[in-house]
Amino acid sequence: MAAVKAFSVLRQSLMRWHQWSCPRLAPLRVSRRNTLGLSFRSGMVWRPSRCYSSTAEAAASKAEDDSFLQWFLLLIPATAFGLGTWQVQRRKWKLKLIAELESRIMAEPIPLPADPMELKNLEYRPVKIRGHFDHSKELYMMPRTKVDPAREARDAGRISSSMESGAYVVTPFHCSDLGVTILVNRGFVPKKKVNPETRQKGQVLGEVDLVGIVRLTETRKPFVPENSPEQNHWHYRDLEAMAKITGADPIFIDADFKSTIPGGPIGGQTRVTLRNEHMQYIITWYGLCAATSYLWFQKFVRRTPGV
């Protein structure tokens, strides 16, 4: 009897543990028949247990995670679209600025202002001056290539080019009407003509009238070497340093092409350099927007497997 009683207690304990842990069905105090006509034990009926509850909670948690991921990933095409639209506006602004600079270069020359502060708003504006050069203090901006729009258009897209290397000759110019000395980029000379002794015919003497384009100082760009005043090699326009070496004022103009004389530097070396790569950025950002929008649609709208 003791063994039977112990077995009965053990059986009841196992049934309680089974009901608590993970049975599919749990007993209730009713009796009914199943569809096959077989009756369950009296006082027992089946109901969902805690395993189904845990599964439902996990499914709900996964649904919440998927919803968060869905809207979070939508930020990628939305951001790409915004950046593409911003580049469209930037391109409009850049094209307007380039057109303004080109029209400024083609404007009628005005007298060089007596106040140097006025020049800050006159870059690329033609001015006219009268005076004489001081050829004993020439500066050389090198290496440089000659500005030739026709040849540059012809050579566009070529891997190699036949452009000759040389230097820009920058010469102090004393303005007789203003009583100041400025710096004038007379133009391009090939490398073999950098030495002024090889171009004596081009060294203008006496007073002359000049028209030139106002240029402002430059800051050194990445990968551009430092200027070397000791060797008289200038890689970028540092007007303060150039003025200090020559004793001139920090005012700089590019002489126009009409100033060219036989044997001398070739004038008209003003290059309007404004980067306009916004179309590439527009294509990149809008392309990224289209690609990520398609993937998002396939993943979360059409529910395509494997995406």
Side-chain angles (χ1 to χ4, degrees):
M1 288 293 293
V4 173
K5 186 176 182 180
F7 177 78
S8 176
V9 171
L10 178 61
R11 182 173 174 273
Q12 291 178 3
S13 298
L14 288 174
M15 288 183 64
R16 288 175 184 157
W17 175 83
H18 183 69
Q19 293 172 9
W20 179 84
S21 59
C22 192
R24 287 184 173 271
L25 300 169
L28 285 177
R29 293 287 181 179
V30 285
S31 137
R32 64 189 179 97
R33 289 180 177 274
N34 61 8
T35 57
L36 298 178
L38 300 177
S39 62
F40 296 108
R41 293 183 58 183
S42 176
M44 304 290 290
V45 72
W46 303 101
R47 67 179 181 184
S49 67
R50 294 187 181 181
C51 280
Y52 283 136
S53 177
S54 299
T55 303
E57 291 176 359
S61 177
K62 185 177 183 302
E64 291 179 1
D65 292 342
D66 287 347
S67 178
F68 172 77
L69 182 64
Q70 174 181 356
W71 297 114
F72 178 76
L73 291 180
L74 188 60
L75 289 176
I76 298 176
T79 302
F81 181 82
L83 290 172
T85 304
W86 176 63
Q87 287 296 331
V88 170
Q89 300 302 320
R90 289 276 297 172
R91 182 174 181 270
K92 290 180 180 178
W93 168 79
K94 185 62 68 65
L95 291 176
K96 182 179 179 181
L97 181 59
I98 292 174
E100 179 183 343
L101 293 179
E102 290 177 347
S103 64
R104 185 178 296 185
I105 289 177
M106 302 302 295
E108 287 294 323
I110 61 174
L112 181 70
D115 185 3
M117 297 300 294
E118 296 183 28
L119 296 175
K120 292 184 178 181
N121 298 321
L122 294 178
E123 188 169 24
Y124 294 107
R125 181 65 191 265
V127 295
K128 52 186 179 182
I129 54 177
R130 180 175 179 81
H132 63 273
F133 288 104
D134 183 358
H135 299 291
S136 65
K137 297 180 180 180
E138 284 184 349
L139 304 178
Y140 307 111
M141 298 184 67
M142 56 193 308
R144 291 293 189 273
T145 56
K146 184 173 66 172
V147 173
D148 188 344
R151 183 182 59 189
E152 291 174 1
R154 185 174 62 252
D155 293 343
R158 294 185 181 179
I159 298 176
S160 61
S161 178
S162 59
M163 291 187 294
E164 184 179 12
S165 178
Y168 291 166
V169 178
V170 179
T171 308
F173 186 91
H174 182 74
C175 300
S176 55
D177 52 348
L178 297 177
V180 298
T181 300
I182 66 173
L183 297 170
V184 175
N185 173 17
R186 295 186 61 202
F188 173 83
V189 293
K191 196 171 184 179
K192 61 184 179 181
K193 292 287 187 179
V194 172
N195 190 335
E197 294 181 0
T198 62
R199 47 182 170 82
Q200 287 296 321
K201 291 183 179 180
Q203 303 297 75
V204 181
L205 301 176
E207 286 205 348
V208 293
D209 292 311
L210 278 181
V211 173
I213 306 297
V214 175
R215 303 304 305 275
L216 302 181
T217 192
E218 289 179 312
T219 56
R220 188 174 72 90
K221 298 178 181 179
F223 309 111
V224 174
E226 292 283 356
N227 289 329
S228 179
E230 297 80 10
Q231 299 179 358
N232 200 5
H233 288 178
W234 301 83
H235 299 281
Y236 60 96
R237 285 191 310 275
D238 184 348
L239 297 192
E240 292 295 335
M242 289 177 164
K244 184 177 180 180
I245 290 290
T246 59
D249 291 334
I251 300 173
F252 191 103
I253 68 171
D254 290 334
D256 66 3
F257 182 76
K258 295 179 181 179
S259 68
T260 305
I261 63 173
I266 301 174
Q269 299 301 305
T270 302
R271 189 189 301 270
V272 179
T273 55
L274 288 178
R275 294 179 60 187
N276 185 17
E277 301 175 351
H278 298 291
M279 181 56 71
Q280 301 177 25
Y281 300 143
I282 292 171
I283 295 173
T284 298
W285 289 120
Y286 279 153
L288 180 61
C289 173
T292 53
S293 296
Y294 174 79
L295 293 175
W296 187 89
F297 178 81
Q298 294 292 325
K299 173 68 176 177
F300 297 106
V301 178
R302 297 189 62 180
R303 303 287 180 178
T304 303
V307 177

